[in-house]
Amino acid sequence: MSNGIDLKGRSLLTLSDLSDEEIAWLLDVALELKRDKHAGTCAQRLVGRHIALVFEKMSTRTRCAAAVAAADEGGRTEYLAATEIHLGKKESVADTARVLGRMFDGILFRGYRQETVELLAEFSGVPVWNGLTDLSHPTQALADLMTIKERFGDLAGRKVVYAGDGRNNVATSLMLGCAISGMDFVNCTPDSLRPADDLIKHANQVAVERGGTVRVCSDPGEAVQGAHVVYTDVWTSMGEEDQFKARVELLQPYQVNMDLMQATGNLESDNVIFLHCLPAFHDHRTEVTQKSGPLEVTDDVFEAPFSKVFDQAENRLHTIKALFVSSLERD
Ligand code: CP
Ligand code: NVA
C-alpha cells in the first residue's frame, strides 16, 4: 500500500499536513481496508504497536474508531481521560508528551487548544493525530471525503454545501478537504459565524488550483442549488454550551429540512446526499432536544434514504485505520 507515498512517522495536526495526492491515496487505502474488514481479512500490521488516546472532550465515534482500528490490526490502545492524567496540571504538556513518547508508538489527541496537539507532536517524538480541537477536525474530514467518494466516485466537480456554524472545526476542515480535492464548496452561514477571511482566501486559492471553488454565502436557499452533498453539524460545539440559546435563534434559518433538500434540485434524480459528523440533534430523544425538538436537521432528512450519516460514522473507523497503518506499519 505505498504507491510512492510514504506517511511513515507522520503526524496529522490539520488537514494542511497532507498533500492532495496523500489525501487521495489515504482514501483509497481506507476503501481497501473497509473491503478487507467486511471480508474478514484484516491484516496484522500494528502488532506490538501501542497508541495513547488522550481525550479532554467527550467522544463516541473517534474514540471507538481508534480502539477498533488498532485492535483489528493487532495493535493496542490506552484511553487516557485528561481528567485522570497530569496533562497541563501537575506536569507541562511537553513533559507528558516526552513520557508518552517513551512508551507509546503514537498519540491520538482530542481537546480544546490546537497548541496542545502541536506540543504533543513537538515533544513526543512519535506520530500525533488530531482527533478534534476547537480549531480543526481533520480525521473527520477524511471520513467525509471517503463517504462522498463512495457515493459519487470522483470528488472533483462535486458541489458540497455546509449549512450552519461556518467557523467551527468540522466546517473549516471540510472546507479545506473539499478545496484540496478540487470540489465546489459553499460555506453557508450568517456573517457573524464566517470563518476568518484569510482561511477562506487560502481555501479558495487551493480549490481554484485544482479546478474547484470555495465561497461563503448567507442565503441557504441560494447556496444549496445544484448541491450533491448537504452537510451540517451542531450549532454549538463542545466548550460553547453557554451560547446555545443565541445560536438556536441565529441558526434556525439554516436548519437542514426537506424544503432545503428540495431546493438542491437534485432530490428527485437521487443525486444528493445528506451528511453530518454526528452526534446530531434530529429528534426529541436527547436531554438537549426533549424540549427544543430537532435543531440543525429535521428527523425526516436524518432518516431519509439519501442520508448517509451512518456510512460516514463507520468510515471514521476505516480512515483512522488508514492513518495508523500508514504511519506505524513496519517495513
Ligand atoms: N464525529 C465525531 O467526532 O464524533 P465523536 O464526538 O463521537 O467522536
Ligand atoms: N463541532 C462539534 C463536532 C463534534 C464531533 C464539536 O466540536 O463539538
Side-chain angles (χ1 to χ4, degrees):
M1 288 197 294
S2 73
N3 203 20
I5 286 173
D6 186 2
L7 296 182
K8 287 221 169 56
R10 289 266 295 275
S11 292
L12 178 65
L13 308 185
T14 78
L15 214 55
S16 305
D17 293 337
L18 295 169
S19 69
D20 47 0
E21 286 96 355
E22 287 168 342
I23 289 180
W25 179 78
L26 274 169
L27 299 183
D28 286 340
V29 172
L31 286 162
E32 191 180 326
L33 291 168
K34 184 172 186 174
R35 283 192 290 275
D36 289 350
K37 167 97 175 166
H38 288 192
T41 57
C42 293
Q44 293 286 291
R45 300 174 184 91
L46 298 176
V47 172
R49 296 301 206 188
H50 296 268
I51 297 169
L53 309 181
V54 180
F55 277 46
E56 293 178 335
K57 291 178 178 171
M58 284 190 280
S59 168
T60 300
R61 278 142 289 268
T62 310
R63 176 179 173 177
C64 297
V68 175
D72 274 347
E73 295 287 329
R76 302 285 302 266
T77 51
E78 182 72 22
Y79 182 73
L80 300 167
T83 49
E84 294 174 15
I85 59 172
H86 300 297
L87 185 77
K89 294 183 286 284
K90 280 180 75 177
E91 181 170 71
S92 68
V93 175
D95 286 358
T96 300
R98 284 181 284 184
V99 172
L100 294 178
R102 294 294 183 104
M103 300 185 189
F104 291 93
D105 301 292
I107 301 169
L108 178 71
F109 174 76
R110 161 165 292 205
Y112 293 90
R113 292 151 57 99
Q114 184 71 14
E115 189 195 353
T116 309
V117 79
E118 287 168 3
L119 284 169
L120 287 171
E122 184 180 349
F123 287 96
S124 67
V126 296
V128 173
W129 305 279
N130 178 351
L132 182 147
T133 59
D134 292 343
L135 187 79
S136 69
H137 199 1
T139 64
Q140 178 68 52
L142 290 175
D144 302 340
L145 294 174
M146 177 181 175
T147 311
I148 300 169
K149 191 175 161 76
E150 271 184 324
R151 170 62 183 80
F152 292 107
D154 285 342
L155 295 175
R158 298 289 168 185
K159 178 174 177 179
V160 177
V161 179
Y162 174 96
D165 173 9
R167 34 97 280 172
N168 81 10
N169 42 19
V170 168
T172 52
S173 295
L174 180 71
M175 181 165 86
L176 196 54
C178 290
I180 293 170
S181 305
M183 306 176 85
D184 291 319
F185 180 83
V186 184
N187 189 329
C188 183
T189 192
D191 288 344
S192 58
L193 294 176
R194 278 171 70 94
D197 283 342
D198 57 346
L199 208 61
I200 302 166
K201 199 170 154 208
H202 169 68
N204 187 46
Q205 263 166 8
V206 169
V208 168
E209 280 164 21
R210 292 157 179 81
T213 53
V214 167
R215 68 185 178 96
V216 180
C217 161
S218 58
D219 176 353
E222 189 246 305
V224 297
Q225 283 171 30
H228 301 104
V229 179
V230 178
Y231 195 125
T232 191
D233 181 16
V234 289
W235 289 341
T236 44
S237 289
M238 289 181 274
E240 300 180 327
E241 288 75 9
D242 58 335
Q243 296 174 51
F244 181 80
K245 197 167 168 290
R247 286 284 173 78
V248 170
E249 281 163 25
L250 178 66
L251 288 171
Q252 199 63 48
Y254 296 81
Q255 182 187 64
V256 179
N257 51 38
M258 276 298 179
D259 286 344
L260 197 66
M261 292 304 299
Q262 283 291 355
T264 64
N266 279 334
L267 208 52
E268 265 68 52
S269 56
D270 194 23
N271 210 20
V272 60
I273 59 173
F274 170 71
L275 296 180
H276 190 308
C277 57
L278 305 184
F281 291 136
H282 62 94
D283 61 15
H284 290 82
R285 294 182 295 177
T286 73
E287 279 178 20
V288 173
T289 54
Q290 55 191 357
K291 286 207 184 100
S292 69
L295 296 174
E296 73 275 7
V297 56
T298 52
D299 203 42
D300 50 358
V301 168
F302 187 87
E303 299 292 353
F306 58 77
S307 168
K308 301 297 172 199
V309 295
F310 294 108
D311 292 336
Q312 186 185 4
E314 179 189 330
N315 288 341
R316 298 297 311 285
L317 164 63
H318 309 298
T319 43
I320 282 183
K321 190 188 288 181
L323 281 173
F324 286 175
V325 166
S326 60
S327 291
L328 300 182
E329 188 178 16
R330 290 192 172 86
D331 290 327

